[in-house]
């Protein structure tokens, strides 16, 4: 089997369009089409159902692509092991990062990583947790830095950096502030009449928060939903609502907000994920160790 040919077919299957696949592969559409026709002639059957807008795999195509991905994964793991023996070789490390804290982590440790592995090209990709999980499963990310609950983990490998509490935030102007002690965990049910802002349903955070309110025994009044936790914090600062957020956003230097721990101390994990059964290269291990040190220092 020609490994380049395997990559071509997998890319067509991924894009579901030969024109888009050719663009991603940096070859002409005619050259890619010739490679496909050559392979289909060799196999004696088509790999794709063709249409102008959507190329779908045939039954044989499904078999071919499934096994092509396995072969390419073996190639990647083999090369990573070889490159670990000849560390001066140039290679790429693709890392998934969530918005906000993921980018903060990356910028904090990247310089140190570069000193350790100057020949490694690091390619950061800002993605949601669910997007990262899909790409890790497909072998399109080497590492994913994510926040999620135990129930949200897939069959891939996870290294927990630390467990993080969810806390209630309110404006300093909110009447609730003077009626409760910041030291004692509060009952969320006491705020059942208040409006809340939530992350949208594509976020792992939303599943965790929904479960917290379910356990609190009421359905909250949702003012609006957003893609960014920073938007939630902003709305709370202006006393438009209350919110339950990860402790990361309960920054003591923010003088506009008050923070309260919740009963039962609900939490999720800040974790690193990588594909199950894949080889973890030395650069990948080094990046993980730097991330562990970064969070360990922050916890002090």
């Amino acid at each position: 089997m020609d490994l380049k040919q395997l990559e071509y077919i997998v890319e067509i299957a991924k894009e579901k369009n030969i024109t888009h696949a050719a663009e991603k592969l940096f070859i002409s559409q005619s050259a890619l089409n010739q490679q496909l026709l050559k392979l289909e002639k060799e196999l004696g059957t088509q790999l794709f159902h063709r249409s102008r807008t959507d190329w779908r795999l045939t039954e044989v195509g499904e078999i071919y692509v499934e096994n092509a991905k396995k072969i390419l994964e073996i190639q990647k793991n083999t090369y990573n092991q070889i490159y670990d023996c000849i560390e001066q070789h140039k290679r790429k490390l693709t890392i998934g990062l969530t918005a906000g804290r993921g980018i903060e982590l990356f910028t904090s440790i990247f310089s140190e990583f570069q000193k350790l592995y100057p020949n490694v090209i690091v390619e950061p990709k800002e993605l949601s947790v669910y997007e990262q999980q899909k790409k890790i499963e497909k072998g399109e990310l080497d590492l994913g830095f994510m926040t999620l609950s135990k129930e949200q983990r897939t069959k891939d490998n996870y290294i927990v950096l630390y467990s993080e509490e969810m806390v209630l935030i309110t404006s300093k102007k909110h009447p609730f502030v003077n009626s409760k002690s910041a030291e004692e965990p509060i009952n969320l049910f006491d705020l059942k009449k208040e409006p809340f802002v939530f992350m949208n349903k594509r976020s792992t955070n939303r599943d965790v928060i929904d479960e917290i309110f379910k356990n609190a025994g009421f359905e909250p009044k949702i003012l609006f939903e957003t893609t960014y936790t920073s938007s939630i914090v902003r709305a709370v600062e202006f006393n438009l609502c209350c919110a339950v957020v990860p402790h990361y956003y309960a920054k003591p230097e923010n003088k506009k907000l008050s923070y309260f721990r919740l009963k039962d101390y609900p939490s999720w994990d800040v974790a690193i994920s990588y594909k199950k059964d894949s080889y973890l290269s030395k650069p990948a291990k080094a990046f993980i160790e730097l991330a562990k040190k970064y969070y360990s220092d922050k916890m002090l």
Side-chain angles (χ1 to χ4, degrees), residues 147-180:
T147 45
L148 73 177
S149 67
K150 291 179 177 63
E151 293 74 24
Q152 292 167 329
R153 297 182 195 178
T154 59
K155 61 184 179 181
D156 294 306
N157 294 319
Y158 289 86
I159 299 171
V160 176
L161 298 173
Y162 70 95
S163 290
E164 178 184 41
E165 261 188 69
M166 296 290 170
V167 297
L168 172 75
I169 59 173
T170 70
S171 165
K172 285 281 189 187
K173 299 176 181 178
H174 196 285
F176 191 75
V177 173
N178 297 323
S179 64
K180 300 290 179 181

PDB file of all heavy atoms in Angstrom, residues 147-180:
ATOM      1  N   THR A 147     -11.444  20.880  30.049  1.00  0.00           N
ATOM      2  CA  THR A 147     -12.144  20.869  31.330  1.00  0.00           C
ATOM      3  C   THR A 147     -13.424  20.076  31.152  1.00  0.00           C
ATOM      4  O   THR A 147     -14.224  20.369  30.264  1.00  0.00           O
ATOM      5  CB  THR A 147     -12.470  22.304  31.783  1.00  0.00           C
ATOM      6  OG1 THR A 147     -12.999  23.043  30.666  1.00  0.00           O
ATOM      7  CG2 THR A 147     -11.233  23.015  32.291  1.00  0.00           C
ATOM      8  N   LEU A 148     -13.632  19.080  32.011  1.00  0.00           N
ATOM      9  CA  LEU A 148     -14.802  18.207  31.866  1.00  0.00           C
ATOM     10  C   LEU A 148     -15.006  17.364  33.115  1.00  0.00           C
ATOM     11  O   LEU A 148     -14.113  17.243  33.946  1.00  0.00           O
ATOM     12  CB  LEU A 148     -14.650  17.322  30.633  1.00  0.00           C
ATOM     13  CG  LEU A 148     -13.646  16.156  30.642  1.00  0.00           C
ATOM     14  CD1 LEU A 148     -13.733  15.371  29.339  1.00  0.00           C
ATOM     15  CD2 LEU A 148     -12.214  16.565  30.872  1.00  0.00           C
ATOM     16  N   SER A 149     -16.182  16.767  33.215  1.00  0.00           N
ATOM     17  CA  SER A 149     -16.482  15.870  34.334  1.00  0.00           C
ATOM     18  C   SER A 149     -16.050  14.453  33.973  1.00  0.00           C
ATOM     19  O   SER A 149     -15.760  14.153  32.807  1.00  0.00           O
ATOM     20  CB  SER A 149     -17.979  15.900  34.646  1.00  0.00           C
ATOM     21  OG  SER A 149     -18.700  15.325  33.567  1.00  0.00           O
ATOM     22  N   LYS A 150     -16.038  13.578  34.949  1.00  0.00           N
ATOM     23  CA  LYS A 150     -15.673  12.174  34.696  1.00  0.00           C
ATOM     24  C   LYS A 150     -16.631  11.543  33.694  1.00  0.00           C
ATOM     25  O   LYS A 150     -16.242  10.714  32.866  1.00  0.00           O
ATOM     26  CB  LYS A 150     -15.669  11.395  36.007  1.00  0.00           C
ATOM     27  CG  LYS A 150     -14.546  11.791  36.958  1.00  0.00           C
ATOM     28  CD  LYS A 150     -14.610  10.997  38.252  1.00  0.00           C
ATOM     29  CE  LYS A 150     -13.436  11.353  39.168  1.00  0.00           C
ATOM     30  NZ  LYS A 150     -13.467  12.765  39.582  1.00  0.00           N
ATOM     31  N   GLU A 151     -17.908  11.931  33.770  1.00  0.00           N
ATOM     32  CA  GLU A 151     -18.924  11.350  32.881  1.00  0.00           C
ATOM     33  C   GLU A 151     -18.729  11.778  31.427  1.00  0.00           C
ATOM     34  O   GLU A 151     -19.253  11.139  30.516  1.00  0.00           O
ATOM     35  CB  GLU A 151     -20.323  11.760  33.339  1.00  0.00           C
ATOM     36  CG  GLU A 151     -20.763  11.175  34.681  1.00  0.00           C
ATOM     37  CD  GLU A 151     -20.076  11.833  35.883  1.00  0.00           C
ATOM     38  OE1 GLU A 151     -19.631  12.985  35.750  1.00  0.00           O
ATOM     39  OE2 GLU A 151     -19.983  11.169  36.932  1.00  0.00           O
ATOM     40  N   GLN A 152     -18.002  12.859  31.197  1.00  0.00           N
ATOM     41  CA  GLN A 152     -17.824  13.382  29.843  1.00  0.00           C
ATOM     42  C   GLN A 152     -16.578  12.839  29.151  1.00  0.00           C
ATOM     43  O   GLN A 152     -16.303  13.176  28.017  1.00  0.00           O
ATOM     44  CB  GLN A 152     -17.765  14.913  29.892  1.00  0.00           C
ATOM     45  CG  GLN A 152     -19.096  15.549  30.272  1.00  0.00           C
ATOM     46  CD  GLN A 152     -18.960  17.013  30.625  1.00  0.00           C
ATOM     47  OE1 GLN A 152     -17.929  17.461  31.134  1.00  0.00           O
ATOM     48  NE2 GLN A 152     -20.002  17.788  30.365  1.00  0.00           N
ATOM     49  N   ARG A 153     -15.845  11.997  29.829  1.00  0.00           N
ATOM     50  CA  ARG A 153     -14.637  11.437  29.223  1.00  0.00           C
ATOM     51  C   ARG A 153     -14.999  10.373  28.186  1.00  0.00           C
ATOM     52  O   ARG A 153     -15.956   9.621  28.352  1.00  0.00           O
ATOM     53  CB  ARG A 153     -13.735  10.812  30.287  1.00  0.00           C
ATOM     54  CG  ARG A 153     -13.216  11.809  31.299  1.00  0.00           C
ATOM     55  CD  ARG A 153     -12.290  11.137  32.291  1.00  0.00           C
ATOM     56  NE  ARG A 153     -12.060  11.970  33.456  1.00  0.00           N
ATOM     57  CZ  ARG A 153     -11.315  11.603  34.499  1.00  0.00           C
ATOM     58  NH1 ARG A 153     -10.750  10.410  34.499  1.00  0.00           N
ATOM     59  NH2 ARG A 153     -11.157  12.418  35.518  1.00  0.00           N
ATOM     60  N   THR A 154     -14.198  10.329  27.132  1.00  0.00           N
ATOM     61  CA  THR A 154     -14.360   9.302  26.102  1.00  0.00           C
ATOM     62  C   THR A 154     -13.429   8.136  26.432  1.00  0.00           C
ATOM     63  O   THR A 154     -12.853   8.076  27.519  1.00  0.00           O
ATOM     64  CB  THR A 154     -14.007   9.888  24.728  1.00  0.00           C
ATOM     65  OG1 THR A 154     -12.643  10.356  24.767  1.00  0.00           O
ATOM     66  CG2 THR A 154     -14.917  11.052  24.367  1.00  0.00           C
ATOM     67  N   LYS A 155     -13.245   7.224  25.476  1.00  0.00           N
ATOM     68  CA  LYS A 155     -12.391   6.056  25.715  1.00  0.00           C
ATOM     69  C   LYS A 155     -10.901   6.379  25.591  1.00  0.00           C
ATOM     70  O   LYS A 155     -10.058   5.499  25.752  1.00  0.00           O
ATOM     71  CB  LYS A 155     -12.750   4.938  24.739  1.00  0.00           C
ATOM     72  CG  LYS A 155     -12.560   5.303  23.277  1.00  0.00           C
ATOM     73  CD  LYS A 155     -13.025   4.165  22.376  1.00  0.00           C
ATOM     74  CE  LYS A 155     -12.863   4.531  20.903  1.00  0.00           C
ATOM     75  NZ  LYS A 155     -13.338   3.456  20.008  1.00  0.00           N
ATOM     76  N   ASP A 156     -10.568   7.634  25.295  1.00  0.00           N
ATOM     77  CA  ASP A 156      -9.163   8.023  25.188  1.00  0.00           C
ATOM     78  C   ASP A 156      -8.529   8.148  26.569  1.00  0.00           C
ATOM     79  O   ASP A 156      -9.191   7.993  27.594  1.00  0.00           O
ATOM     80  CB  ASP A 156      -9.048   9.337  24.412  1.00  0.00           C
ATOM     81  CG  ASP A 156      -9.476   9.190  22.968  1.00  0.00           C
ATOM     82  OD1 ASP A 156      -8.943   8.300  22.288  1.00  0.00           O
ATOM     83  OD2 ASP A 156     -10.364   9.941  22.519  1.00  0.00           O
ATOM     84  N   ASN A 157      -7.233   8.436  26.597  1.00  0.00           N
ATOM     85  CA  ASN A 157      -6.504   8.566  27.862  1.00  0.00           C
ATOM     86  C   ASN A 157      -6.646   9.983  28.421  1.00  0.00           C
ATOM     87  O   ASN A 157      -6.628  10.956  27.659  1.00  0.00           O
ATOM     88  CB  ASN A 157      -5.016   8.263  27.648  1.00  0.00           C
ATOM     89  CG  ASN A 157      -4.786   6.814  27.272  1.00  0.00           C
ATOM     90  OD1 ASN A 157      -5.408   5.913  27.825  1.00  0.00           O
ATOM     91  ND2 ASN A 157      -3.899   6.577  26.336  1.00  0.00           N
ATOM     92  N   TYR A 158      -6.756  10.070  29.756  1.00  0.00           N
ATOM     93  CA  TYR A 158      -6.877  11.370  30.422  1.00  0.00           C
ATOM     94  C   TYR A 158      -5.911  11.432  31.600  1.00  0.00           C
ATOM     95  O   TYR A 158      -5.803  10.489  32.384  1.00  0.00           O
ATOM     96  CB  TYR A 158      -8.305  11.594  30.937  1.00  0.00           C
ATOM     97  CG  TYR A 158      -9.298  11.831  29.835  1.00  0.00           C
ATOM     98  CD1 TYR A 158      -9.910  10.761  29.195  1.00  0.00           C
ATOM     99  CD2 TYR A 158      -9.618  13.119  29.408  1.00  0.00           C
ATOM    100  CE1 TYR A 158     -10.813  10.967  28.153  1.00  0.00           C
ATOM    101  CE2 TYR A 158     -10.512  13.330  28.385  1.00  0.00           C
ATOM    102  CZ  TYR A 158     -11.109  12.248  27.758  1.00  0.00           C
ATOM    103  OH  TYR A 158     -12.004  12.463  26.741  1.00  0.00           O
ATOM    104  N   ILE A 159      -5.204  12.542  31.693  1.00  0.00           N
ATOM    105  CA  ILE A 159      -4.342  12.835  32.843  1.00  0.00           C
ATOM    106  C   ILE A 159      -4.944  14.041  33.544  1.00  0.00           C
ATOM    107  O   ILE A 159      -5.006  15.130  32.969  1.00  0.00           O
ATOM    108  CB  ILE A 159      -2.903  13.150  32.401  1.00  0.00           C
ATOM    109  CG1 ILE A 159      -2.285  11.952  31.666  1.00  0.00           C
ATOM    110  CG2 ILE A 159      -2.047  13.530  33.604  1.00  0.00           C
ATOM    111  CD1 ILE A 159      -0.955  12.257  31.006  1.00  0.00           C
ATOM    112  N   VAL A 160      -5.416  13.850  34.759  1.00  0.00           N
ATOM    113  CA  VAL A 160      -6.055  14.947  35.502  1.00  0.00           C
ATOM    114  C   VAL A 160      -4.977  15.834  36.129  1.00  0.00           C
ATOM    115  O   VAL A 160      -4.130  15.354  36.881  1.00  0.00           O
ATOM    116  CB  VAL A 160      -7.000  14.405  36.590  1.00  0.00           C
ATOM    117  CG1 VAL A 160      -7.576  15.551  37.418  1.00  0.00           C
ATOM    118  CG2 VAL A 160      -8.128  13.603  35.945  1.00  0.00           C
ATOM    119  N   LEU A 161      -5.005  17.108  35.799  1.00  0.00           N
ATOM    120  CA  LEU A 161      -4.058  18.075  36.368  1.00  0.00           C
ATOM    121  C   LEU A 161      -4.526  18.539  37.743  1.00  0.00           C
ATOM    122  O   LEU A 161      -3.738  18.656  38.659  1.00  0.00           O
ATOM    123  CB  LEU A 161      -3.901  19.269  35.424  1.00  0.00           C
ATOM    124  CG  LEU A 161      -3.329  18.935  34.036  1.00  0.00           C
ATOM    125  CD1 LEU A 161      -3.378  20.148  33.127  1.00  0.00           C
ATOM    126  CD2 LEU A 161      -1.907  18.415  34.150  1.00  0.00           C
ATOM    127  N   TYR A 162      -5.817  18.811  37.861  1.00  0.00           N
ATOM    128  CA  TYR A 162      -6.398  19.085  39.167  1.00  0.00           C
ATOM    129  C   TYR A 162      -7.919  19.119  39.044  1.00  0.00           C
ATOM    130  O   TYR A 162      -8.459  19.276  37.950  1.00  0.00           O
ATOM    131  CB  TYR A 162      -5.874  20.388  39.772  1.00  0.00           C
ATOM    132  CG  TYR A 162      -6.337  21.668  39.109  1.00  0.00           C
ATOM    133  CD1 TYR A 162      -7.440  22.367  39.592  1.00  0.00           C
ATOM    134  CD2 TYR A 162      -5.653  22.194  38.021  1.00  0.00           C
ATOM    135  CE1 TYR A 162      -7.858  23.547  38.998  1.00  0.00           C
ATOM    136  CE2 TYR A 162      -6.060  23.377  37.419  1.00  0.00           C
ATOM    137  CZ  TYR A 162      -7.158  24.048  37.909  1.00  0.00           C
ATOM    138  OH  TYR A 162      -7.567  25.214  37.310  1.00  0.00           O
ATOM    139  N   SER A 163      -8.600  18.935  40.172  1.00  0.00           N
ATOM    140  CA  SER A 163     -10.058  19.039  40.212  1.00  0.00           C
ATOM    141  C   SER A 163     -10.420  20.452  40.657  1.00  0.00           C
ATOM    142  O   SER A 163      -9.791  21.002  41.574  1.00  0.00           O
ATOM    143  CB  SER A 163     -10.649  18.014  41.175  1.00  0.00           C
ATOM    144  OG  SER A 163     -10.511  16.710  40.641  1.00  0.00           O
ATOM    145  N   GLU A 164     -11.428  21.013  40.006  1.00  0.00           N
ATOM    146  CA  GLU A 164     -11.775  22.408  40.224  1.00  0.00           C
ATOM    147  C   GLU A 164     -13.236  22.545  40.661  1.00  0.00           C
ATOM    148  O   GLU A 164     -14.132  21.990  40.026  1.00  0.00           O
ATOM    149  CB  GLU A 164     -11.548  23.183  38.929  1.00  0.00           C
ATOM    150  CG  GLU A 164     -11.913  24.647  39.010  1.00  0.00           C
ATOM    151  CD  GLU A 164     -11.760  25.338  37.671  1.00  0.00           C
ATOM    152  OE1 GLU A 164     -12.131  24.739  36.638  1.00  0.00           O
ATOM    153  OE2 GLU A 164     -11.284  26.476  37.653  1.00  0.00           O
ATOM    154  N   GLU A 165     -13.443  23.284  41.726  1.00  0.00           N
ATOM    155  CA  GLU A 165     -14.798  23.511  42.229  1.00  0.00           C
ATOM    156  C   GLU A 165     -15.578  24.478  41.354  1.00  0.00           C
ATOM    157  O   GLU A 165     -15.001  25.373  40.731  1.00  0.00           O
ATOM    158  CB  GLU A 165     -14.738  24.104  43.644  1.00  0.00           C
ATOM    159  CG  GLU A 165     -14.932  23.103  44.743  1.00  0.00           C
ATOM    160  CD  GLU A 165     -15.046  23.781  46.097  1.00  0.00           C
ATOM    161  OE1 GLU A 165     -16.070  24.472  46.334  1.00  0.00           O
ATOM    162  OE2 GLU A 165     -14.120  23.632  46.907  1.00  0.00           O
ATOM    163  N   MET A 166     -16.876  24.292  41.335  1.00  0.00           N
ATOM    164  CA  MET A 166     -17.794  25.267  40.759  1.00  0.00           C
ATOM    165  C   MET A 166     -18.286  26.174  41.890  1.00  0.00           C
ATOM    166  O   MET A 166     -18.571  25.689  42.993  1.00  0.00           O
ATOM    167  CB  MET A 166     -18.989  24.577  40.113  1.00  0.00           C
ATOM    168  CG  MET A 166     -18.619  23.705  38.946  1.00  0.00           C
ATOM    169  SD  MET A 166     -18.088  24.683  37.532  1.00  0.00           S
ATOM    170  CE  MET A 166     -17.447  23.392  36.467  1.00  0.00           C
ATOM    171  N   VAL A 167     -18.361  27.474  41.629  1.00  0.00           N
ATOM    172  CA  VAL A 167     -18.763  28.423  42.670  1.00  0.00           C
ATOM    173  C   VAL A 167     -19.845  29.353  42.139  1.00  0.00           C
ATOM    174  O   VAL A 167     -19.994  29.531  40.925  1.00  0.00           O
ATOM    175  CB  VAL A 167     -17.560  29.260  43.160  1.00  0.00           C
ATOM    176  CG1 VAL A 167     -16.516  28.386  43.814  1.00  0.00           C
ATOM    177  CG2 VAL A 167     -16.952  30.073  42.014  1.00  0.00           C
ATOM    178  N   LEU A 168     -20.594  29.935  43.058  1.00  0.00           N
ATOM    179  CA  LEU A 168     -21.586  30.948  42.705  1.00  0.00           C
ATOM    180  C   LEU A 168     -20.915  32.311  42.700  1.00  0.00           C
ATOM    181  O   LEU A 168     -20.135  32.638  43.600  1.00  0.00           O
ATOM    182  CB  LEU A 168     -22.720  30.956  43.729  1.00  0.00           C
ATOM    183  CG  LEU A 168     -23.736  32.102  43.580  1.00  0.00           C
ATOM    184  CD1 LEU A 168     -24.659  31.857  42.405  1.00  0.00           C
ATOM    185  CD2 LEU A 168     -24.523  32.299  44.869  1.00  0.00           C
ATOM    186  N   ILE A 169     -21.211  33.109  41.669  1.00  0.00           N
ATOM    187  CA  ILE A 169     -20.739  34.492  41.664  1.00  0.00           C
ATOM    188  C   ILE A 169     -21.942  35.434  41.579  1.00  0.00           C
ATOM    189  O   ILE A 169     -22.927  35.158  40.898  1.00  0.00           O
ATOM    190  CB  ILE A 169     -19.750  34.797  40.514  1.00  0.00           C
ATOM    191  CG1 ILE A 169     -20.378  34.520  39.142  1.00  0.00           C
ATOM    192  CG2 ILE A 169     -18.474  34.011  40.692  1.00  0.00           C
ATOM    193  CD1 ILE A 169     -19.499  34.974  37.964  1.00  0.00           C
ATOM    194  N   THR A 170     -21.846  36.535  42.311  1.00  0.00           N
ATOM    195  CA  THR A 170     -22.862  37.585  42.267  1.00  0.00           C
ATOM    196  C   THR A 170     -22.145  38.929  42.219  1.00  0.00           C
ATOM    197  O   THR A 170     -20.954  39.029  42.544  1.00  0.00           O
ATOM    198  CB  THR A 170     -23.778  37.571  43.507  1.00  0.00           C
ATOM    199  OG1 THR A 170     -23.015  37.993  44.647  1.00  0.00           O
ATOM    200  CG2 THR A 170     -24.369  36.198  43.755  1.00  0.00           C
ATOM    201  N   SER A 171     -22.869  39.956  41.864  1.00  0.00           N
ATOM    202  CA  SER A 171     -22.332  41.310  41.953  1.00  0.00           C
ATOM    203  C   SER A 171     -22.183  41.694  43.427  1.00  0.00           C
ATOM    204  O   SER A 171     -22.919  41.212  44.290  1.00  0.00           O
ATOM    205  CB  SER A 171     -23.277  42.283  41.250  1.00  0.00           C
ATOM    206  OG  SER A 171     -22.976  43.606  41.605  1.00  0.00           O
ATOM    207  N   LYS A 172     -21.228  42.554  43.713  1.00  0.00           N
ATOM    208  CA  LYS A 172     -21.063  43.078  45.071  1.00  0.00           C
ATOM    209  C   LYS A 172     -22.305  43.842  45.531  1.00  0.00           C
ATOM    210  O   LYS A 172     -22.569  43.974  46.723  1.00  0.00           O
ATOM    211  CB  LYS A 172     -19.855  44.028  45.121  1.00  0.00           C
ATOM    212  CG  LYS A 172     -18.506  43.343  45.096  1.00  0.00           C
ATOM    213  CD  LYS A 172     -18.130  42.789  46.446  1.00  0.00           C
ATOM    214  CE  LYS A 172     -16.680  42.312  46.452  1.00  0.00           C
ATOM    215  NZ  LYS A 172     -16.342  41.628  47.714  1.00  0.00           N
ATOM    216  N   LYS A 173     -23.083  44.313  44.528  1.00  0.00           N
ATOM    217  CA  LYS A 173     -24.285  45.084  44.840  1.00  0.00           C
ATOM    218  C   LYS A 173     -25.498  44.199  45.117  1.00  0.00           C
ATOM    219  O   LYS A 173     -26.561  44.698  45.503  1.00  0.00           O
ATOM    220  CB  LYS A 173     -24.604  46.034  43.677  1.00  0.00           C
ATOM    221  CG  LYS A 173     -23.506  47.044  43.380  1.00  0.00           C
ATOM    222  CD  LYS A 173     -23.856  47.887  42.167  1.00  0.00           C
ATOM    223  CE  LYS A 173     -22.758  48.885  41.839  1.00  0.00           C
ATOM    224  NZ  LYS A 173     -23.081  49.685  40.623  1.00  0.00           N
ATOM    225  N   HIS A 174     -25.367  42.905  44.903  1.00  0.00           N
ATOM    226  CA  HIS A 174     -26.514  42.003  45.060  1.00  0.00           C
ATOM    227  C   HIS A 174     -26.890  41.872  46.539  1.00  0.00           C
ATOM    228  O   HIS A 174     -26.014  41.747  47.401  1.00  0.00           O
ATOM    229  CB  HIS A 174     -26.170  40.633  44.474  1.00  0.00           C
ATOM    230  CG  HIS A 174     -27.360  39.769  44.230  1.00  0.00           C
ATOM    231  ND1 HIS A 174     -28.038  39.131  45.240  1.00  0.00           N
ATOM    232  CD2 HIS A 174     -28.008  39.447  43.085  1.00  0.00           C
ATOM    233  CE1 HIS A 174     -29.040  38.443  44.734  1.00  0.00           C
ATOM    234  NE2 HIS A 174     -29.045  38.617  43.422  1.00  0.00           N
ATOM    235  N   PRO A 175     -28.194  41.906  46.877  1.00  0.00           N
ATOM    236  CA  PRO A 175     -28.641  41.786  48.268  1.00  0.00           C
ATOM    237  C   PRO A 175     -28.164  40.503  48.945  1.00  0.00           C
ATOM    238  O   PRO A 175     -28.007  40.461  50.170  1.00  0.00           O
ATOM    239  CB  PRO A 175     -30.176  41.798  48.152  1.00  0.00           C
ATOM    240  CG  PRO A 175     -30.462  42.419  46.832  1.00  0.00           C
ATOM    241  CD  PRO A 175     -29.313  42.100  45.938  1.00  0.00           C
ATOM    242  N   PHE A 176     -27.936  39.478  48.176  1.00  0.00           N
ATOM    243  CA  PHE A 176     -27.511  38.182  48.709  1.00  0.00           C
ATOM    244  C   PHE A 176     -26.171  38.301  49.453  1.00  0.00           C
ATOM    245  O   PHE A 176     -25.908  37.568  50.399  1.00  0.00           O
ATOM    246  CB  PHE A 176     -27.381  37.188  47.556  1.00  0.00           C
ATOM    247  CG  PHE A 176     -27.198  35.755  47.985  1.00  0.00           C
ATOM    248  CD1 PHE A 176     -28.265  35.026  48.483  1.00  0.00           C
ATOM    249  CD2 PHE A 176     -25.961  35.135  47.882  1.00  0.00           C
ATOM    250  CE1 PHE A 176     -28.102  33.701  48.866  1.00  0.00           C
ATOM    251  CE2 PHE A 176     -25.790  33.825  48.268  1.00  0.00           C
ATOM    252  CZ  PHE A 176     -26.865  33.108  48.766  1.00  0.00           C
ATOM    253  N   VAL A 177     -25.340  39.242  49.018  1.00  0.00           N
ATOM    254  CA  VAL A 177     -23.988  39.384  49.567  1.00  0.00           C
ATOM    255  C   VAL A 177     -24.013  39.658  51.066  1.00  0.00           C
ATOM    256  O   VAL A 177     -23.240  39.084  51.834  1.00  0.00           O
ATOM    257  CB  VAL A 177     -23.215  40.510  48.833  1.00  0.00           C
ATOM    258  CG1 VAL A 177     -21.876  40.774  49.514  1.00  0.00           C
ATOM    259  CG2 VAL A 177     -23.016  40.147  47.370  1.00  0.00           C
ATOM    260  N   ASN A 178     -24.895  40.535  51.512  1.00  0.00           N
ATOM    261  CA  ASN A 178     -24.949  40.924  52.927  1.00  0.00           C
ATOM    262  C   ASN A 178     -25.672  39.910  53.802  1.00  0.00           C
ATOM    263  O   ASN A 178     -25.591  39.974  55.032  1.00  0.00           O
ATOM    264  CB  ASN A 178     -25.620  42.287  53.061  1.00  0.00           C
ATOM    265  CG  ASN A 178     -24.823  43.379  52.370  1.00  0.00           C
ATOM    266  OD1 ASN A 178     -23.595  43.360  52.385  1.00  0.00           O
ATOM    267  ND2 ASN A 178     -25.528  44.322  51.750  1.00  0.00           N
ATOM    268  N   SER A 179     -26.371  38.970  53.176  1.00  0.00           N
ATOM    269  CA  SER A 179     -27.161  38.013  53.959  1.00  0.00           C
ATOM    270  C   SER A 179     -26.446  36.687  54.189  1.00  0.00           C
ATOM    271  O   SER A 179     -26.896  35.861  54.974  1.00  0.00           O
ATOM    272  CB  SER A 179     -28.501  37.745  53.265  1.00  0.00           C
ATOM    273  OG  SER A 179     -28.289  37.111  52.010  1.00  0.00           O
ATOM    274  N   LYS A 180     -25.316  36.462  53.499  1.00  0.00           N
ATOM    275  CA  LYS A 180     -24.611  35.189  53.603  1.00  0.00           C
ATOM    276  C   LYS A 180     -23.129  35.393  53.909  1.00  0.00           C
ATOM    277  O   LYS A 180     -22.532  36.394  53.515  1.00  0.00           O
ATOM    278  CB  LYS A 180     -24.732  34.399  52.293  1.00  0.00           C
ATOM    279  CG  LYS A 180     -26.159  34.058  51.894  1.00  0.00           C
ATOM    280  CD  LYS A 180     -26.760  33.025  52.832  1.00  0.00           C
ATOM    281  CE  LYS A 180     -28.202  32.713  52.439  1.00  0.00           C
ATOM    282  NZ  LYS A 180     -28.829  31.725  53.338  1.00  0.00           N
TER     283      LYS A 180
END
